[in-house]
Amino acid sequence: MAGNKTTALSLGILGPGLIGATLLDQLRDQAPNLKEHFRIDLRVVGIASSKIMFLDESAVDLSKWRLEYNDRGTETDLRSFISHLQQDHFGPNKAIVDCTASADVAEHYLEWLKLGIHIITPNKRANSGPLEKPFLGESCPLRIALSEVCFAWLFSLSYTDMEMIVKFTSSVRLTAGTLSYIFNNLTGDRTFSDVVKEAKAKGYTEPDPRDDLSGTDVARKVVILAREAGLKLELHDIPVHSLVPQELQDPKLSVEDFMKRLPDFDEALSSRRKEAESSDEVLRYVGVVDVLNNRGSVELKRIPKSDAFAQLNGSDNIIAFKTARYNENRLIVRGPGAGAAVTAGGVFSDILKLTSNLGAPS
Amino acid sequence: MAGNKTTALSLGILGPGLIGATLLDQLRDQAPNLKEHFRIDLRVVGIASSKIMFLDESAVDLSKWRLEYNDRGTETDLRSFISHLQQDHFGPNKAIVDCTASADVAEHYLEWLKLGIHIITPNKRANSGPLEKPFLGESCPLRIALSEVCFAWLFSLSYTDMEMIVKFTSSVRLTAGTLSYIFNNLTGDRTFSDVVKEAKAKGYTEPDPRDDLSGTDVARKVVILAREAGLKLELHDIPVHSLVPQELQDPKLSVEDFMKRLPDFDEALSSRRKEAESSDEVLRYVGVVDVLNNRGSVELKRIPKSDAFAQLNGSDNIIAFKTARYNENRLIVRGPGAGAAVTAGGVFSDILKLTSNLGAPS
């Protein structure tokens, strides 16, 4: 509840690509309802990609944002984008929603926070970067929501929730995104390369599937969660089991050639899988934050079929918290973890959480 | 993040029974850490049961609260309890934590909210009572956290989260508490009466297990969730499949006699269970909020073994949300859902959420 008064929030959306565009459409569909029933007034005052930006004094008409953006957009200048957002259009509350995956954009977070701008983002670059450049800390009064850490879920954790959950945690295990999809679907007589091909066709992988299969994405999540739990881990501290065969890691190898040669390596994984199956287990690609032993890892693990991690379907992701209190039975959240609608939904949920906190009485 | 300044919250704890006492001990253990690392200063200024209350001007020393409460307690007078809480001990923020299951206490919520006192409670009486006495509404600027609705979870949903999740929901299914424990453990050649006996011995049931087996507790959760989703349902609108055999429903029948006669009725459930098992299904006691069709129900259902609801262990509860976005794959939260430590942990988490929102910049 945000109280009797309406809480307004001016939003600058960076990266109107697949996720950003879906978010803009979700905002378009929900904004009238939010205003009427929840007294939350969300207004997009600017949209920018790395090339084009569109600013509007009176909030972008979201029913035709694509048209406006394409017809009236000018060359992107982040500085003027920010100073436009800073103007007192609709009250003091401002947020950048960073839907890019850009490290360059993440470089600016600290600067923007200092200007009093909240940041909401599924961009994992920021908080898994080098520790000497922290931008989250006890001195930061602003909210940064880390949707992507906990995947594309409505239950996405804000930094505040994270404090509560992770600080008391002894371990966190997770599966994530593309790799969860791949191993959930590696059943029957399907081969690894076959499922990778399918995931690529469905748009679940990066254009180059090696970006997923390398495990770096999962490792970033492990680093972010580990840091939330108070561990000082860097990305290079996390041993990562890459699923890209060494022979195919050469960046000069084209995506096409990679996909063509991948079936040659199916046998190795197939035999691991058969081995697992003969003990009533399945293979899962799992990230682990081991708080007690101060380490993280990203591994291809054998999981008993009776375990919740083995019982995933489709694009389901899962995260399990083991704590002093949730010990014998873990606390488990499971849900669809891929696709633009669901990811944008997580970001949307973080925007609402931010708004609700802005409006809290004090 | 609550910013640079320390956020203080004065707490009045009602009901220092199993859950309330556990919460007080958790506060004792965590308070120094919260103060040092999170700048959250939680101070208990009063503890009251229906009979005895103990008030302290300078915050109760939680390392010896039992002693103080028993030795220095006076006869409970809710009015002076509240006016003590209202004094400006440590700043403007006050909350009542209602750990009772009392409808009488819940009657006071609206009055306390009007005095500017937040309410945090696992007491289901309030929001599943008659609709003509609503105390939650858009005009209420204060927070009421409904730990118990979503069980005893660290992931307990505050009213704010509920807005985000439930308002867009097409259906919610849940298992809960004692009945979840009973059906999770009704495996192999065990009988219903046998598992009920075990649950009673472990303290998972009410003193009279019929209070659980009647299904009213689950129905209350269904009503609360339904109302959050905008449905105007009363408790009596929810068809409830009671597991208490009609012959044993007479309130004059003692608990001892009830337990003695329960095995006579095992056969009926056994045959339903065998029927289910022959189709690779299990029995689960499930509450459903069907938002699209404006109804709720509490039923003993047959669930395919491959379903997440069938794969629960021990005291695991589960809740599944089906929405426009979480359609094919539901969003599922699963975790231990019984026991004082876990329930008190949910309440504790709500206290932290409240504090974090109080401290948010605006």
Side-chain angles (χ1 to χ4, degrees):
Chain A
M1 295 297 301
N4 273 318
K5 67 179 202 314
T6 294
T7 302
L9 178 64
S10 301
L11 296 169
I13 311 284
L14 298 181
L18 191 54
I19 293 168
T22 306
L23 175 68
L24 282 159
D25 290 342
Q26 289 176 358
L27 284 166
R28 174 197 64 206
D29 296 343
Q30 295 292 343
N33 176 46
L34 288 169
K35 195 168 172 186
E36 187 178 350
H37 297 293
F38 298 97
R39 302 198 186 95
I40 293 173
D41 190 4
L42 301 176
R43 309 212 183 178
V44 175
V45 299
I47 303 171
S49 69
S50 57
K51 297 198 179 67
I52 300 175
M53 73 178 182
F54 172 63
L55 309 177
D56 198 309
E57 295 299 324
S58 57
V60 180
D61 178 350
L62 292 179
S63 70
K64 47 179 183 178
W65 71 265
R66 282 179 182 81
L67 205 70
E68 298 265 58
Y69 175 79
N70 288 319
D71 287 2
R72 296 174 51 205
T74 56
E75 199 185 329
T76 293
D77 169 18
L78 262 188
R79 201 174 292 261
S80 41
F81 187 88
I82 296 298
S83 83
H84 172 76
L85 178 62
Q86 276 191 284
Q87 286 165 45
D88 193 20
H89 300 286
F90 309 105
N93 302 319
K94 323 285 185 189
I96 287 282
V97 184
D98 174 15
C99 295
T100 74
S102 153
D104 291 345
V105 171
E107 283 278 319
H108 289 282
Y109 285 0
L110 186 57
E111 172 196 329
W112 295 339
L113 289 166
K114 283 181 180 162
L115 294 172
I117 298 169
H118 300 274
I119 293 164
I120 290 162
T121 182
N123 181 354
K124 283 180 295 297
R125 298 285 168 160
N127 227 8
S128 66
L131 268 172
E132 57 267 36
K133 288 187 193 167
F135 63 88
L136 279 180
E138 300 198 9
S139 64
C140 169
L142 292 163
R143 305 226 156 209
I144 305 191
L146 300 162
S147 314
E148 183 61 23
V149 177
C150 290
F151 329 116
W153 291 342
L154 198 48
F155 257 104
S156 77
L157 302 176
S158 73
Y159 186 51
T160 310
D161 294 322
M162 302 285 287
E163 283 180 359
M164 292 163 214
I165 292 161
V166 184
K167 296 288 178 185
F168 309 124
T169 285
S170 46
S171 77
V172 185
R173 272 159 199 267
L174 58 93
T175 67
T178 314
L179 285 162
S180 188
Y181 178 86
I182 288 170
F183 286 96
N184 298 348
N185 288 283
L186 193 59
T187 55
D189 53 3
R190 304 196 66 184
T191 61
F192 181 65
S193 60
D194 184 31
V195 182
V196 171
K197 203 172 145 189
E198 177 187 273
K200 188 174 187 311
K202 287 194 172 176
Y204 285 165
T205 70
E206 298 292 319
D208 186 341
R210 283 172 292 188
D211 292 342
D212 299 294
L213 299 178
S214 69
T216 310
D217 186 71
V218 179
R220 281 190 200 283
K221 293 185 178 181
V222 167
V223 167
I224 296 175
L225 280 167
R227 289 183 185 173
E228 290 296 328
L231 311 186
K232 304 242 176 281
L233 293 180
E234 298 278 3
L235 199 52
H236 58 70
D237 294 327
I238 311 296
V240 177
H241 179 135
S242 170
L243 295 171
V244 183
Q246 200 148 19
E247 294 88 334
L248 306 184
Q249 289 183 355
D250 183 353
K252 278 176 289 186
L253 186 72
S254 74
V255 173
E256 206 185 354
D257 285 343
F258 167 74
M259 292 302 289
K260 226 177 261 168
R261 291 184 54 190
L262 192 58
D264 300 347
F265 300 87
D266 279 339
E267 191 45 40
L269 203 70
S270 252
S271 71
R272 284 202 64 175
R273 197 183 134 202
K274 273 177 207 147
E275 224 176 271
E277 276 171 4
S278 70
S279 324
D280 232 14
E281 295 178 321
V282 298
L283 297 181
R284 287 290 181 268
Y285 199 74
V286 178
V288 180
V289 180
D290 180 348
V291 182
L292 297 178
N293 296 301
N294 191 35
R295 65 184 173 211
S297 64
V298 175
E299 292 169 80
L300 188 63
K301 273 181 166 319
R302 286 168 57 166
I303 306 273
K305 275 192 182 152
S306 60
D307 190 281
F309 276 62
Q311 297 156 351
L312 302 176
N313 309 315
S315 67
D316 268 346
N317 285 344
I318 188 167
I319 186 164
F321 298 90
K322 198 167 183 175
T323 73
R325 279 203 274 279
Y326 302 93
N327 196 356
E328 205 175 323
N329 291 11
R330 298 162 301 172
L331 180 72
I332 289 171
V333 187
R334 165 182 158 183
V342 171
T343 306
V347 175
F348 198 159
S349 162
D350 282 335
I351 295 173
L352 292 179
K353 278 198 188 178
L354 169 63
T355 317
S356 137
N357 290 321
L358 293 173
S362 62
Chain B
M1 295 296 302
N4 273 319
K5 67 178 202 314
T6 293
T7 303
L9 179 64
S10 301
L11 296 169
I13 312 284
L14 298 180
L18 191 55
I19 292 167
T22 306
L23 175 68
L24 282 160
D25 290 343
Q26 289 176 359
L27 285 167
R28 174 197 65 207
D29 296 343
Q30 295 292 343
N33 176 45
L34 287 169
K35 196 168 172 186
E36 187 180 347
H37 296 293
F38 299 97
R39 301 198 186 95
I40 293 173
D41 190 5
L42 300 177
R43 308 211 184 178
V44 176
V45 299
I47 303 171
S49 69
S50 57
K51 297 197 179 67
I52 300 174
M53 72 176 181
F54 173 63
L55 308 178
D56 199 310
E57 296 299 325
S58 57
V60 180
D61 178 350
L62 292 178
S63 69
K64 46 179 183 178
W65 71 265
R66 282 180 183 81
L67 205 71
E68 297 265 58
Y69 175 79
N70 288 319
D71 286 3
R72 297 173 51 205
T74 57
E75 199 185 328
T76 293
D77 169 17
L78 261 189
R79 201 174 293 261
S80 41
F81 187 89
I82 295 298
S83 82
H84 172 76
L85 179 63
Q86 277 192 284
Q87 286 164 46
D88 192 20
H89 300 285
F90 309 106
N93 302 320
K94 324 285 184 189
I96 288 283
V97 184
D98 174 16
C99 295
T100 74
S102 155
D104 291 346
V105 171
E107 281 278 318
H108 289 282
Y109 285 0
L110 186 56
E111 172 196 329
W112 295 338
L113 288 167
K114 282 181 181 162
L115 294 173
I117 298 169
H118 300 274
I119 293 164
I120 290 162
T121 183
N123 181 354
K124 284 179 297 294
R125 298 284 168 161
N127 227 9
S128 65
L131 268 173
E132 58 268 36
K133 289 186 192 168
F135 62 88
L136 279 181
E138 299 197 10
S139 63
C140 169
L142 293 164
R143 304 228 157 209
I144 306 190
L146 300 163
S147 314
E148 184 60 23
V149 178
C150 289
F151 328 115
W153 289 342
L154 198 48
F155 257 106
S156 77
L157 302 176
S158 73
Y159 187 51
T160 309
D161 294 322
M162 304 284 286
E163 285 180 355
M164 292 162 213
I165 293 162
V166 184
K167 298 286 178 187
F168 308 126
T169 285
S170 45
S171 78
V172 185
R173 272 160 199 267
L174 58 93
T175 66
T178 313
L179 285 162
S180 188
Y181 178 87
I182 288 170
F183 286 97
N184 298 348
N185 289 281
L186 193 59
T187 53
D189 53 3
R190 304 197 65 184
T191 61
F192 181 66
S193 61
D194 183 30
V195 182
V196 171
K197 205 172 146 191
E198 177 186 273
K200 189 174 187 312
K202 288 195 173 177
Y204 285 166
T205 69
E206 298 293 319
D208 186 342
R210 283 172 290 188
D211 292 343
D212 300 294
L213 299 178
S214 68
T216 310
D217 185 71
V218 180
R220 282 191 199 283
K221 293 185 180 184
V222 166
V223 167
I224 296 176
L225 280 167
R227 289 184 186 173
E228 290 295 329
L231 311 186
K232 304 240 177 282
L233 293 181
E234 297 278 4
L235 199 52
H236 58 70
D237 294 327
I238 311 294
V240 177
H241 178 137
S242 171
L243 295 170
V244 183
Q246 200 148 18
E247 295 89 333
L248 306 183
Q249 288 184 355
D250 183 354
K252 278 176 287 187
L253 185 72
S254 73
V255 173
E256 207 185 353
D257 285 343
F258 167 74
M259 292 302 288
K260 229 178 259 166
R261 292 183 54 191
L262 192 58
D264 300 347
F265 300 87
D266 279 340
E267 191 45 39
L269 203 69
S270 254
S271 70
R272 284 201 64 174
R273 196 181 135 205
K274 273 177 207 145
E275 223 176 273
E277 275 170 5
S278 70
S279 324
D280 231 14
E281 295 178 321
V282 299
L283 297 181
R284 287 288 181 268
Y285 198 74
V286 178
V288 181
V289 180
D290 180 348
V291 182
L292 296 178
N293 297 302
N294 192 34
R295 66 186 171 208
S297 64
V298 175
E299 291 170 80
L300 189 63
K301 272 182 167 319
R302 286 169 55 167
I303 306 272
K305 275 191 182 151
S306 60
D307 190 280
F309 276 62
Q311 297 156 352
L312 302 176
N313 308 314
S315 68
D316 268 346
N317 284 343
I318 187 166
I319 187 165
F321 298 90
K322 197 166 182 175
T323 73
R325 278 203 276 280
Y326 301 92
N327 196 357
E328 204 175 325
N329 291 12
R330 299 162 301 172
L331 180 72
I332 290 172
V333 187
R334 165 183 158 182
V342 170
T343 306
V347 176
F348 197 160
S349 162
D350 282 336
I351 295 174
L352 292 179
K353 277 197 188 179
L354 169 63
T355 317
S356 136
N357 290 322
L358 293 173
S362 60

